[in-house]
Amino acid sequence: MDGEAIKRLLEGSGLRCTAQRYAVMAFLVEHAGHPTAAEIFEAVNRLDPRSSRATTYNNLRDLVQAGLVREVAVEGRAARFDAKGMRHHHFICDRCGEVEDMEWCDVPRPGSGSLGKRVLRECEIIFRGLCAKCAPRHASRKVS
Amino acid sequence: MDGEAIKRLLEGSGLRCTAQRYAVMAFLVEHAGHPTAAEIFEAVNRLDPRSSRATTYNNLRDLVQAGLVREVAVEGRAARFDAKGMRHHHFICDRCGEVEDMEWCDVPRPGSGSLGKRVLRECEIIFRGLCAKCAPRHASRKVS
DNA sequence: CTCAAAACTTAGATTATGTCTAATTTGATA
DNA sequence: TATCAAATTAGACATAATCTAAGTTTTGAG
């Protein structure tokens, strides 16, 4: 995705394409590794320190509200973000908190009986366990 | 579930049944509404102030590690807890953060190809949208 | 173009949530 | 009862995220 595409993405969602907001979105598009807000802030400021921490959080919130970015909460750790590209599920490592994408598959929808008055927007599967890096160390150590 | 059953549950998992730990577990068994740690602390201390905040957090962590309690992370809000009774999925309200149980159904397992070296422990579906209380207000208001 | 309003950004204070420390208490068991 | 590991405690500390109030930029009406 090039710069123009990102600009169109933002403006198509009613968000102005400011330097700071563009930087956050572009970083997320290029880095699929589910960075935290702190990592995003540090990365976009490393070479071009023109965005404050508050703005990074503001823009992440705006992007999530616009539906361009997904926020993944992880028990006991900072939230992680990814650009909503292809649909996918998530694998969360019990040990290191790493979030990884898992191949998309359809999710069984709840019957309207069990849904009641709720309005469903999306369904996602969370797989939990040990990531490829942590799995080998598992045999001898209690998962903490 | 009576007091003896809770005691057996704790001791069966290698945890001593202390007054404070029992209070946390009993509260979770009786209150299926996914309370936060702060709510649990406040509730178990309202009439019988014998547990500190640190102990409440320690015990919640112990219970989660022992597999007796589940922790549910919610984007932008405090973690919520529930006693692992029947298996169920979760519905999280976009607007108010409320966590509700959804009927259990089997989750499609990822093929061993897409799983790679990862070790899978559990799968859960997260349904997102508006809860029954928030849905009616939706038409006129942007979901904040 | 000009001006005012709206959108956006900012630094730093503040809040919310959760963890750690060091001292003390509890309780199982020898 | 004496011992010692487990559990608890108060409060300091850490971290993540939000808020505030002021300043800056962009937009659009006139």
Side-chain angles (χ1 to χ4, degrees):
Chain A
M1 190 169 332
D2 65 0
E4 273 306 308
I6 290 174
K7 189 173 175 210
R8 279 197 305 277
L9 209 57
L10 294 176
E11 292 177 345
S13 299
L15 297 170
R16 271 176 24 197
C17 181
T18 65
Q20 293 84 351
R21 187 170 290 148
Y22 176 92
V24 168
M25 191 66 207
F27 183 81
L28 283 172
V29 167
E30 285 164 27
H31 298 81
H34 303 84
T36 63
E39 286 163 359
I40 295 165
F41 169 64
E42 209 215 334
V44 303
N45 275 269
R46 194 166 302 143
L47 293 178
D48 184 9
R50 283 189 300 186
S51 186
S52 71
R53 207 159 54 91
T55 298
T56 302
Y57 276 97
N58 286 344
N59 282 328
L60 281 169
R61 185 203 50 210
D62 294 344
L63 292 168
V64 168
Q65 280 199 357
L68 300 178
V69 166
R70 182 189 315 272
E71 180 177 358
V72 187
V74 183
E75 288 79 4
R77 294 185 157 90
R80 292 167 170 282
F81 298 86
D82 66 355
K84 277 192 187 168
M86 266 195 321
R87 298 199 77 175
H88 55 259
H89 298 299
H90 286 118
F91 182 97
I92 302 179
C93 180
D94 289 334
R95 161 188 281 265
C96 70
E98 176 96 354
V99 175
E100 296 169 337
D101 291 350
M102 296 290 282
E103 199 175 335
W104 176 257
C105 64
D106 284 332
V107 178
R109 294 239 152 188
S112 65
S114 66
L115 201 53
K117 290 208 172 75
R118 287 178 278 246
V119 176
L120 188 60
R121 181 175 55 79
E122 70 167 23
C123 317
E124 178 196 15
I125 305 179
I126 305 285
F127 299 101
R128 294 174 190 282
L130 296 169
C131 71
K133 224 170 358 182
C134 294
R137 295 181 229 170
H138 180 228
S140 51
R141 289 264 257 124
K142 192 174 165 195
V143 172
S144 61
Chain B
M1 189 170 329
D2 66 359
E4 273 307 307
I6 290 175
K7 189 173 176 212
R8 280 197 305 276
L9 209 57
L10 294 176
E11 292 176 346
S13 299
L15 297 170
R16 275 189 3 210
C17 181
T18 64
Q20 293 84 352
R21 187 171 287 151
Y22 177 92
V24 168
M25 190 67 206
F27 182 81
L28 283 172
V29 167
E30 285 164 27
H31 298 82
H34 302 85
T36 62
E39 286 164 358
I40 295 165
F41 170 64
E42 209 214 335
V44 302
N45 275 270
R46 195 166 302 142
L47 292 176
D48 185 9
R50 283 187 301 186
S51 186
S52 74
R53 209 161 56 92
T55 297
T56 302
Y57 276 97
N58 287 345
N59 281 328
L60 281 169
R61 187 201 49 209
D62 294 344
L63 292 168
V64 168
Q65 279 198 357
L68 299 178
V69 166
R70 182 189 315 273
E71 179 176 357
V72 187
V74 184
E75 289 77 6
R77 294 186 157 89
R80 291 167 171 284
F81 298 86
D82 66 355
K84 277 191 186 169
M86 267 195 320
R87 297 198 78 175
H88 56 259
H89 298 299
H90 285 119
F91 182 97
I92 302 179
C93 180
D94 290 334
R95 162 188 279 265
C96 70
E98 177 97 354
V99 174
E100 297 170 335
D101 291 349
M102 297 290 283
E103 201 176 335
W104 176 257
C105 63
D106 282 332
V107 178
R109 293 241 154 186
S112 66
S114 66
L115 201 53
K117 290 208 172 73
R118 286 178 279 245
V119 176
L120 188 60
R121 181 174 56 78
E122 69 166 24
C123 317
E124 177 195 17
I125 305 179
I126 304 285
F127 298 101
R128 293 174 189 283
L130 296 168
C131 71
K133 224 169 358 179
C134 294
R137 296 181 228 170
H138 181 229
S140 51
R141 288 264 256 127
K142 193 173 163 194
V143 172
S144 59

